[in-house]
Amino acid sequence: MLSIDAYSWICDACARECSLTTSKKSNNKTAIRKLSEAEISYLQEAKFYDKVVDLTALISINQHDIDTDGRGIRASGIFTRQTLTAFSLKKIMPRPSSNSHHESTLWDISTIASLARNLLEGYLAIYYFGIESVSSEEAELRFFLLQLHRNVEWYEIIKGSNPQDPSLEEYEEGIPKQKARVKEHSFLKILTDAQKSKALRGNEMYKTKADFERDVSICRNLRRDYRYLSNLVHPLPFSIERIDFNKGRGIGSDADVSHCLMCLTIARVYLAASTIGFSDHFPNSLANKYKNEIDEARPLMKWEVSA
């Protein structure tokens, strides 16, 4: 069994390095060694991730000609983005082997963590903007906020590039109107105070991470996972002060392998949830058509998976 509780394992792994059993061939070029416990667990998780990517590719290339509404179209766009991110992660994933030295494989923790966080955020987006069951009234408010956020961001980007750009006038006239229709929307009063505050600030999403943890089972540790990944992604003390002669140099120390295992587990769960959730949202076009493949992958949405 592989468990998300590998967090505790990482702490232990930081205190020790791989125990390598090597023997060199006569030409001194090839090292034969015994894989560490961390590498073996990582490779098993990599197999799980590969299975999810295969399903994601299958669903992605067959999502055409689906008759749906605006939320379904947005879900499709986000899912396409998830597919690309999934393949990017697969391309850079280390593949250690007993036939190669542990320093011959690049373990780029910060990049792996970044793509894992992208997949986590992508799942939140596909759920919130596309596949979550909401009333038409709530869907409209979310759409208004999405438009407002997009236009505010474009306005700031254009203004920062050219303050004299004539297109700014259209944004300066339209954005206040969009803010007003959010403020006056009938569904706003249904939101919690925290959600209402986010909506009135023009955030693209008014659901909080606590909301996701409460409402979506795979998000039960969302705030912990997001903080963990973010601390690896950014040049913060958590990620830079661990760097020494062995750790944080990309050479496959036990601690680095364990961090990559954790990142890959998070990526696998949220990618599986994205792919299966998207498929289930379109039962006639996807879920029923590829039922066997989807059902085989459903256990991979769980944090603990049998090998």
Side-chain angles (χ1 to χ4, degrees):
M1 300 284 284
L2 296 182
S3 170
I4 198 70
D5 288 333
Y7 276 105
S8 59
W9 186 26
I10 288 172
C11 297
D12 295 335
C14 287
R16 57 189 172 83
E17 293 303 317
C18 294
S19 175
L20 302 179
T21 302
T22 61
S23 61
K24 296 183 178 180
K25 291 185 177 180
S26 56
N27 61 11
N28 224 21
K29 291 183 179 179
T30 303
I32 305 301
R33 66 190 181 90
K34 181 179 179 181
L35 291 173
S36 69
E37 180 184 350
E39 287 176 306
I40 292 171
S41 295
Y42 168 84
L43 286 171
Q44 181 59 65
E45 182 58 55
K47 290 180 182 179
F48 295 153
Y49 180 79
D50 288 342
K51 288 181 180 179
V52 177
V53 173
D54 289 344
L55 176 64
T56 300
L58 175 67
I59 298 303
S60 184
I61 63 177
N62 288 285
Q63 62 168 313
H64 52 80
D65 298 329
I66 296 177
D67 186 18
T68 185
D69 58 9
R71 284 176 60 77
I73 292 172
R74 278 187 290 281
S76 177
I78 298 166
F79 179 65
T80 297
R81 187 179 187 274
Q82 289 287 82
T83 304
L84 293 173
T85 303
F87 273 97
S88 293
L89 177 54
K90 181 172 180 174
K91 190 174 182 64
I92 68 164
M93 281 167 49
R95 304 282 182 171
S97 167
S98 59
N99 294 322
S100 61
H101 193 272
H102 77 284
E103 294 187 4
S104 67
T105 301
L106 178 63
W107 297 84
D108 184 358
I109 296 176
S110 62
T111 302
I112 291 172
S114 180
L115 292 173
R117 193 178 71 164
N118 286 347
L119 290 171
L120 182 157
E121 293 173 330
Y123 173 74
L124 302 183
I126 203 171
Y127 181 84
Y128 178 89
F129 293 120
I131 66 177
E132 182 183 11
S133 179
V134 297
S135 67
S136 58
E137 185 183 20
E138 184 170 10
E140 183 182 64
L141 176 60
R142 293 186 182 190
F143 176 64
F144 286 171
L145 279 167
L146 192 64
Q147 288 189 314
L148 172 61
H149 185 271
R150 178 198 61 195
N151 290 336
V152 168
E153 293 302 309
W154 265 120
Y155 173 75
E156 294 297 338
I157 291 170
I158 296 170
K159 185 179 179 181
S161 301
N162 179 12
Q164 307 305 319
D165 193 303
S167 68
L168 291 173
E169 184 177 345
E170 182 180 357
Y171 287 96
E172 289 166 351
E173 179 181 348
I175 288 174
K177 294 178 180 178
Q178 291 184 322
K179 288 182 177 179
R181 72 177 182 178
V182 167
K183 187 175 181 179
E184 297 164 3
H185 199 278
S186 58
F187 197 81
L188 195 68
K189 64 180 183 294
I190 307 298
L191 303 181
T192 66
D193 289 342
Q195 292 173 339
K196 190 180 300 182
S197 176
K198 293 188 72 173
L200 292 175
R201 290 198 305 269
N203 289 23
E204 77 280 10
M205 249 184 228
Y206 54 72
K207 263 184 179 288
T208 65
K209 290 183 176 67
D211 293 331
F212 278 104
E213 288 183 342
R214 182 193 65 232
D215 299 338
V216 187
S217 60
I218 70 158
C219 296
R220 65 179 184 266
N221 293 311
L222 174 61
R223 285 172 287 188
R224 181 196 69 182
D225 295 338
Y226 191 84
R227 173 168 287 186
Y228 170 71
L229 294 174
S230 296
N231 272 277
L232 290 175
V233 169
H234 299 296
L236 299 171
F238 182 91
S239 63
I240 61 176
E241 291 183 1
R242 61 179 299 275
I243 298 174
D244 58 21
F245 183 74
N246 292 305
K247 300 191 296 294
R249 304 179 68 86
I251 59 175
S253 67
D254 210 31
D256 286 7
V257 174
S258 298
H259 277 299
C260 288
L261 167 60
M262 178 54 54
C263 292
L264 193 58
T265 301
I266 295 171
R268 184 255 302 165
V269 168
Y270 283 101
L271 178 62
S274 299
T275 302
I276 295 173
F278 178 74
S279 301
D280 287 345
H281 191 66
F282 301 106
N284 295 330
S285 301
L286 295 173
N288 295 339
K289 188 175 181 180
Y290 302 103
K291 183 179 185 302
N292 291 339
E293 293 88 346
I294 292 169
D295 285 348
E296 184 178 348
R298 285 190 190 278
L300 299 177
M301 287 195 296
K302 299 177 180 178
W303 293 104
E304 297 181 2
V305 182
S306 299

